[in-house]
Amino acid sequence: MEAYLDNSATTRCTEAVRDVVIHTMMDDFGNPSSKHMKGVEAERYLRDARETIAKTLKVKEKEIYFTSGATESNNWAIIGAAMANRRAGMHLITTAVEHAAVLMPMHYLEEQGFRVTYLPVDQKGHISLTDLEQAICDDTILVSIMYVNNEIGAIEPVAEAGKLIKSKNPGILFHVDAVQAYGKMTVHPKKLGIDLLSVSAHKIHGPKGIGFLYINEKSRIHPLILGGGQQKGMRSGTDNVPGACGLAMAAKEAYEHLGESTEHLLALKKRMMDGLEALNRSLMGQPRIVIHSEPGERSAPHIVSAAFPGVRSEVLLHALEDKGIYVSAGSACSSNKKLPVSTVLKELHLKPELLESTLRFSFCRYTTEAEIDYCLSALAELLPVLSRYARH
Ligand code: PLP
């Protein structure tokens, strides 16, 4: 049996996504910039894709810009907003637990003379609104806060943050990295006070290498990719029609099934967390498994992060892999990178033995209870054996 429990890393495309991608590569393969019929037809595909996505967010079609994925969307939102608004101020705010695709552009801007405040998080990964309020200065131009943390699933108080930012200064742009939230929960930027929102297709059963940035029509942001002037000159490069259609199909399917998927994911998460607790009881005398993710509304339904003290995450990851179970190591700082892979776990101030032994299990709407049970039984078999070899 196989259990793919790494859906926050990437997901398998659905058949409908595959079909529309192939169709727009093999049959209706035109370039929207061409003036002939094939181009007009491709332009229509692009327009329809934009319309489908805009509907899921309750925004205007012209506010959706296709990108090569969320890394590009985040870079564009942050650097583009900073460049366009530098006369208004040189201060930005983000959180200490963002994805590298937010943290690295922030570091880059620091090198260019901007000041960045990194908000700390509590033990469960949430920022404090008081900290946010105190961080906002007269020259703050952008706040960037992720919706759902990709490592432990914490849901940040985005709606409250949006309200707070706009009440302090409506001119401050609010960017949200919604990669782990879009398709899993309702995301309505206008209601949440969000001006810029990043999304990636491959996390929601769409193709890799495509995503979008929502830009509120009133927001000022510079383009970063210059060239042939596609997408109103805001993001040049031949339009990725198959990618856009695949993304739109994935979005449509995700939101059509949202209610059932959420219920299913919550049930899977509970099964996994209950199973880990039961394991804790059965592994008497062994170090206790520590679950970082919370149940309830402040945590995403598709992510369970847990530490297995005494067993290094890479060792457990590969032992599970031998049984056809695929998960992510939550920590594993890589020595040759400036940025540790898990800044997030470090920010939770976990003890080293928890940092070194964390795994992330992430689900999708196609994950089955049988996969969860298979993973739990593999853990029950492996943990007593592997922890025997652990350094104590
Ligand atoms: N932001 C978050 C929260 C993510 O989880 C990821 C992917 O892991 C990214 C950004 C980067 O997305 P992409 O793979 O589309 O570049």
Side-chain angles (χ1 to χ4, degrees), residues 229-254:
Q230 289 87 347
Q231 304 202 63
K232 295 174 272 169
M234 288 295 279
R235 202 284 189 179
S236 287
T238 300
D239 298 293
N240 179 355
V241 180
C245 293
L247 164 53
M249 178 60 78
K252 178 169 163 274
E253 290 185 310

Short mmCIF file of all heavy atoms in Angstrom, two decimals, residues 229-254:
data_model
loop_
_atom_site.label_atom_id
_atom_site.label_comp_id
_atom_site.label_asym_id
_atom_site.label_seq_id
_atom_site.Cartn_x
_atom_site.Cartn_y
_atom_site.Cartn_z
N GLY A 229 4.95 43.01 -22.80
CA GLY A 229 3.79 43.79 -22.37
C GLY A 229 2.52 43.00 -22.13
O GLY A 229 1.42 43.57 -22.01
N GLN A 230 2.64 41.66 -22.02
CA GLN A 230 1.43 40.87 -21.74
C GLN A 230 0.86 41.25 -20.36
O GLN A 230 1.55 41.83 -19.53
CB GLN A 230 1.75 39.36 -21.75
CG GLN A 230 2.05 38.80 -23.14
CD GLN A 230 3.51 38.92 -23.53
OE1 GLN A 230 4.30 39.62 -22.91
NE2 GLN A 230 3.86 38.24 -24.61
N GLN A 231 -0.36 40.87 -20.13
CA GLN A 231 -1.09 41.16 -18.88
C GLN A 231 -0.98 42.66 -18.53
O GLN A 231 -0.53 43.03 -17.44
CB GLN A 231 -0.59 40.27 -17.73
CG GLN A 231 -0.68 38.76 -18.06
CD GLN A 231 -0.71 37.89 -16.83
OE1 GLN A 231 -1.63 37.98 -16.03
NE2 GLN A 231 0.27 37.03 -16.67
N LYS A 232 -1.38 43.47 -19.45
CA LYS A 232 -1.41 44.93 -19.32
C LYS A 232 -0.05 45.52 -18.95
O LYS A 232 0.05 46.52 -18.24
CB LYS A 232 -2.46 45.35 -18.27
CG LYS A 232 -3.90 45.01 -18.67
CD LYS A 232 -4.88 45.31 -17.54
CE LYS A 232 -5.01 44.14 -16.62
NZ LYS A 232 -5.69 44.31 -15.39
N GLY A 233 0.99 44.84 -19.39
CA GLY A 233 2.35 45.33 -19.12
C GLY A 233 2.80 45.05 -17.70
O GLY A 233 3.92 45.39 -17.32
N MET A 234 1.96 44.40 -16.92
CA MET A 234 2.29 44.17 -15.51
C MET A 234 3.11 42.90 -15.32
O MET A 234 3.85 42.76 -14.34
CB MET A 234 1.01 44.06 -14.68
CG MET A 234 0.30 45.39 -14.49
SD MET A 234 1.30 46.53 -13.54
CE MET A 234 0.98 45.97 -11.87
N ARG A 235 2.99 41.95 -16.26
CA ARG A 235 3.75 40.70 -16.12
C ARG A 235 3.96 40.15 -17.53
O ARG A 235 3.12 39.40 -18.04
CB ARG A 235 3.00 39.72 -15.21
CG ARG A 235 3.88 38.64 -14.58
CD ARG A 235 4.25 37.58 -15.58
NE ARG A 235 4.90 36.44 -14.99
CZ ARG A 235 5.27 35.38 -15.71
NH1 ARG A 235 5.07 35.33 -17.02
NH2 ARG A 235 5.85 34.37 -15.11
N SER A 236 5.09 40.54 -18.10
CA SER A 236 5.37 40.13 -19.47
C SER A 236 5.74 38.66 -19.56
O SER A 236 6.06 38.03 -18.55
CB SER A 236 6.49 40.99 -20.06
OG SER A 236 6.02 42.28 -20.32
N GLY A 237 5.72 38.15 -20.76
CA GLY A 237 6.03 36.73 -21.01
C GLY A 237 4.82 36.10 -21.67
O GLY A 237 3.68 36.39 -21.27
N THR A 238 5.07 35.25 -22.67
CA THR A 238 3.95 34.58 -23.36
C THR A 238 3.04 33.91 -22.34
O THR A 238 3.51 33.20 -21.45
CB THR A 238 4.51 33.56 -24.37
OG1 THR A 238 5.31 34.25 -25.30
CG2 THR A 238 3.38 32.82 -25.09
N ASP A 239 1.76 34.17 -22.47
CA ASP A 239 0.80 33.65 -21.48
C ASP A 239 0.82 32.13 -21.43
O ASP A 239 0.78 31.47 -22.46
CB ASP A 239 -0.60 34.14 -21.84
CG ASP A 239 -0.71 35.65 -21.81
OD1 ASP A 239 -0.61 36.22 -20.72
OD2 ASP A 239 -0.89 36.25 -22.90
N ASN A 240 0.85 31.62 -20.21
CA ASN A 240 0.84 30.17 -20.00
C ASN A 240 -0.62 29.70 -19.99
O ASN A 240 -1.23 29.52 -18.94
CB ASN A 240 1.53 29.86 -18.67
CG ASN A 240 1.56 28.39 -18.33
OD1 ASN A 240 0.96 27.57 -19.04
ND2 ASN A 240 2.23 28.04 -17.25
N VAL A 241 -1.17 29.54 -21.19
CA VAL A 241 -2.61 29.22 -21.30
C VAL A 241 -2.93 27.85 -20.68
O VAL A 241 -3.86 27.75 -19.87
CB VAL A 241 -3.09 29.31 -22.77
CG1 VAL A 241 -4.57 28.97 -22.87
CG2 VAL A 241 -2.82 30.70 -23.32
N PRO A 242 -2.15 26.79 -21.00
CA PRO A 242 -2.48 25.50 -20.37
C PRO A 242 -2.41 25.58 -18.84
O PRO A 242 -3.27 25.04 -18.14
CB PRO A 242 -1.40 24.54 -20.91
CG PRO A 242 -0.90 25.19 -22.16
CD PRO A 242 -1.02 26.66 -21.94
N GLY A 243 -1.40 26.27 -18.33
CA GLY A 243 -1.26 26.42 -16.88
C GLY A 243 -2.45 27.16 -16.28
O GLY A 243 -3.03 26.73 -15.28
N ALA A 244 -2.81 28.28 -16.92
CA ALA A 244 -3.93 29.08 -16.40
C ALA A 244 -5.22 28.28 -16.41
O ALA A 244 -6.01 28.33 -15.45
CB ALA A 244 -4.07 30.35 -17.24
N CYS A 245 -5.45 27.51 -17.49
CA CYS A 245 -6.67 26.70 -17.57
C CYS A 245 -6.65 25.60 -16.52
O CYS A 245 -7.68 25.29 -15.91
CB CYS A 245 -6.82 26.10 -18.96
SG CYS A 245 -7.13 27.34 -20.21
N GLY A 246 -5.48 24.99 -16.32
CA GLY A 246 -5.35 23.95 -15.30
C GLY A 246 -5.60 24.51 -13.92
O GLY A 246 -6.30 23.90 -13.09
N LEU A 247 -5.05 25.69 -13.67
CA LEU A 247 -5.25 26.34 -12.36
C LEU A 247 -6.73 26.67 -12.15
O LEU A 247 -7.29 26.41 -11.08
CB LEU A 247 -4.38 27.61 -12.31
CG LEU A 247 -4.67 28.67 -11.25
CD1 LEU A 247 -4.72 28.08 -9.85
CD2 LEU A 247 -3.61 29.76 -11.29
N ALA A 248 -7.37 27.21 -13.18
CA ALA A 248 -8.78 27.58 -13.05
C ALA A 248 -9.64 26.34 -12.79
O ALA A 248 -10.56 26.36 -11.95
CB ALA A 248 -9.25 28.31 -14.30
N MET A 249 -9.32 25.26 -13.50
CA MET A 249 -10.09 24.02 -13.29
C MET A 249 -9.89 23.51 -11.85
O MET A 249 -10.85 23.10 -11.18
CB MET A 249 -9.64 22.96 -14.31
CG MET A 249 -10.32 21.61 -14.18
SD MET A 249 -12.12 21.72 -14.38
CE MET A 249 -12.22 21.84 -16.18
N ALA A 250 -8.65 23.55 -11.39
CA ALA A 250 -8.35 23.09 -10.02
C ALA A 250 -9.10 23.95 -9.00
O ALA A 250 -9.67 23.44 -8.03
CB ALA A 250 -6.85 23.14 -9.77
N ALA A 251 -9.13 25.27 -9.24
CA ALA A 251 -9.82 26.18 -8.33
C ALA A 251 -11.32 25.90 -8.32
O ALA A 251 -11.96 25.83 -7.26
CB ALA A 251 -9.55 27.62 -8.74
N LYS A 252 -11.86 25.72 -9.52
CA LYS A 252 -13.31 25.46 -9.64
C LYS A 252 -13.66 24.19 -8.87
O LYS A 252 -14.60 24.17 -8.08
CB LYS A 252 -13.64 25.32 -11.13
CG LYS A 252 -15.08 25.01 -11.42
CD LYS A 252 -15.33 25.18 -12.93
CE LYS A 252 -16.59 24.50 -13.37
NZ LYS A 252 -16.48 23.10 -13.71
N GLU A 253 -12.89 23.14 -9.09
CA GLU A 253 -13.18 21.87 -8.41
C GLU A 253 -13.03 22.00 -6.90
O GLU A 253 -13.83 21.47 -6.14
CB GLU A 253 -12.24 20.76 -8.94
CG GLU A 253 -12.54 20.37 -10.35
CD GLU A 253 -11.70 19.18 -10.82
OE1 GLU A 253 -10.46 19.21 -10.66
OE2 GLU A 253 -12.28 18.23 -11.34
N ALA A 254 -11.99 22.73 -6.46
CA ALA A 254 -11.75 22.87 -5.02
C ALA A 254 -12.94 23.57 -4.36
O ALA A 254 -13.40 23.15 -3.29
CB ALA A 254 -10.47 23.66 -4.77
#
